[in-house]
Amino acid sequence: MAQPLSTATDAAQQDAVRQLCEQLEFFEQHPPLEIRPLAAGQSNLNYYLRTARGEYVLRRYARQPGVCRQQEFRCQQAAAAKQIAATPLLLHNHQQLLISEFLPGGESLQLTDSRLLLLADTLAILHNLRVQTPLLQPASYLRQLLAQGQQSTLQPAADLFAALQRCAEQLAGMATDLVLCHLDLHADNLLWNGNKIWLLDFEYSQLCDNSFDLAAIMLHFELTAAQQQKLLALYSMRRRYPDRRTAERLAANLPQRLQLAKCLYSGFCWLWYQATPGLHQSANSWQQRLQQLLQSEAPESFC
């Protein structure tokens, strides 16, 4: 989900990070010389750290009992091996933090025609990776998000949620292209650095139909129909499939899977923002987008 800039700029918070680093063996021989906040999510905080040995990003998670971040670390590590993500260096589950290398000089991705080619290539590299991760079940995830939002003053429209469930059911009955998906591909999680595109924040990464990452890019960057077709054409050239028949079968139903994924991804964002205090305006925006998609793109049987 889109991430605003952190407000953690006061000295007290930076001192707290410095004290935390003093407890970590990782920084024992090279304590931080500089600490400053970076972009952050709604529940996580990111900090830039400079030491005598190098530059790092320290990501602090919100406390969630029973949650292990090993999956995120493993996915980022696999992507880093293909040079499409920063290398993760330390995961500390007790302290709820992840330390990664820092990529200097980067900026949020601004999409151009030439960068669309690189984005398609980067996405294909990610989807060609083989990492052991859980499988996203869209219907179950929708119910989970709905349950999290029950304390919200905004309640989801029953007809929209029912339409999302029908989308999930239809997708479950189709031949799908299960790959390692990032599942949060907006501009702030796509870094333009050194004439390359780097992926950031693997918190939501798991096994899923490839249409979800494609849909996320199309929605967040508001690609035109021509840009969407170009992205798909470039992407398909770099994907690997076990055989030609499988490639042809998945290519044939990709347009329908994309329609479903656009609706489902919009629904994920709608319910996620609705469950997060202070973000009801974003929830309303995604709700409106979902309504438009159900009316204009999704087959009549979903409406």
Side-chain angles (χ1 to χ4, degrees):
M1 316 311 167
Q3 302 178 356
L5 288 178
S6 169
T7 58
T9 57
D10 58 78
Q13 287 172 309
Q14 294 185 39
D15 285 343
V17 175
R18 191 179 302 277
Q19 292 173 16
L20 176 64
C21 291
E22 291 175 355
Q23 303 174 32
L24 299 175
E25 185 178 349
F26 183 89
F27 291 113
E28 185 176 0
Q29 302 299 323
H30 56 124
L33 302 173
E34 178 184 357
I35 300 173
R36 56 181 169 84
L38 297 171
Q42 295 303 322
S43 56
N44 305 317
L45 295 174
N46 300 321
Y47 296 89
Y48 164 84
L49 278 69
R50 179 177 60 83
T51 77
R53 292 185 183 176
E55 299 173 291
Y56 309 92
V57 173
L58 186 149
R59 179 177 176 83
R60 295 206 69 185
Y61 301 105
R63 290 277 179 187
Q64 298 182 42
V67 175
C68 178
R69 300 289 178 171
Q70 189 62 43
Q71 174 187 334
E72 178 180 353
F73 185 91
R74 188 165 56 245
C75 292
Q76 183 175 335
Q77 190 174 50
K82 294 295 183 180
Q83 296 187 324
I84 58 172
T87 302
L89 303 171
L90 172 69
L91 175 66
H92 199 304
N93 270 312
H94 178 69
Q95 295 287 3
Q96 287 291 287
L97 62 84
L98 172 67
I99 297 174
S100 302
E101 67 173 342
F102 176 73
L103 300 172
E107 60 184 27
S108 296
L109 178 65
Q110 302 296 316
L111 208 54
T112 63
D113 287 343
S114 61
R115 293 180 184 181
L116 189 64
L117 168 62
L118 291 174
L119 181 55
D121 187 52
T122 303
L123 191 59
I125 293 172
L126 175 69
H127 289 177
N128 285 331
L129 294 175
R130 293 294 176 261
V131 182
Q132 185 177 2
T133 64
L135 172 65
L136 175 69
Q137 301 286 356
S140 297
Y141 188 48
L142 287 169
R143 290 192 294 270
Q144 176 186 332
L145 290 171
L146 178 63
Q148 292 174 356
Q150 289 302 310
Q151 302 303 317
S152 170
T153 56
L154 290 179
Q155 295 299 326
D159 56 341
L160 281 183
F161 188 80
L164 285 171
Q165 289 283 31
R166 291 194 290 273
C167 288
E169 291 169 4
Q170 178 128 356
L171 183 62
M174 301 175 65
T176 52
D177 190 358
L178 296 179
V179 299
L180 174 63
C181 280
H182 184 281
L183 293 175
D184 199 16
L185 290 175
H186 53 79
D188 289 338
N189 280 342
L190 292 162
L191 186 73
W192 177 250
N193 179 280
N195 293 320
K196 289 183 59 176
I197 295 174
W198 301 81
L199 306 179
L200 306 177
D201 189 356
F202 287 76
E203 182 173 5
Y204 297 100
S205 299
Q206 56 191 299
L207 197 65
C208 186
D209 186 64
N210 70 328
S211 60
F212 280 84
D213 273 352
L214 291 165
I217 290 171
M218 293 174 181
L219 291 168
H220 283 297
F221 287 94
E222 299 182 347
L223 299 188
T224 65
Q227 288 175 320
Q228 292 184 38
Q229 290 304 313
K230 183 176 182 180
L231 174 67
L232 293 176
L234 295 169
Y235 168 83
S236 64
M237 293 173 60
R238 295 304 304 269
R239 273 301 310 282
R240 294 197 304 265
Y241 294 96
D243 53 67
R244 183 175 178 180
R245 172 178 284 187
T246 299
E248 292 175 347
R249 177 166 52 91
L250 292 173
N253 73 358
L254 180 56
Q256 189 176 10
R257 286 188 285 121
L258 264 174
Q259 290 175 345
L260 293 164
K262 285 179 181 178
C263 293
L264 289 166
Y265 186 85
S266 297
F268 293 165
C269 293
W270 164 45
L271 294 169
W272 189 89
Y273 280 119
Q274 180 174 276
T276 307
L279 294 179
H280 293 159
Q281 184 174 352
S282 296
N284 289 336
S285 176
W286 279 103
Q287 179 178 344
Q288 292 172 7
R289 179 172 289 189
L290 171 60
Q291 290 171 322
Q292 294 169 356
L293 286 168
L294 288 169
Q295 292 170 3
S296 64
E297 291 201 35
E300 293 181 358
S301 59
F302 309 147
C303 302

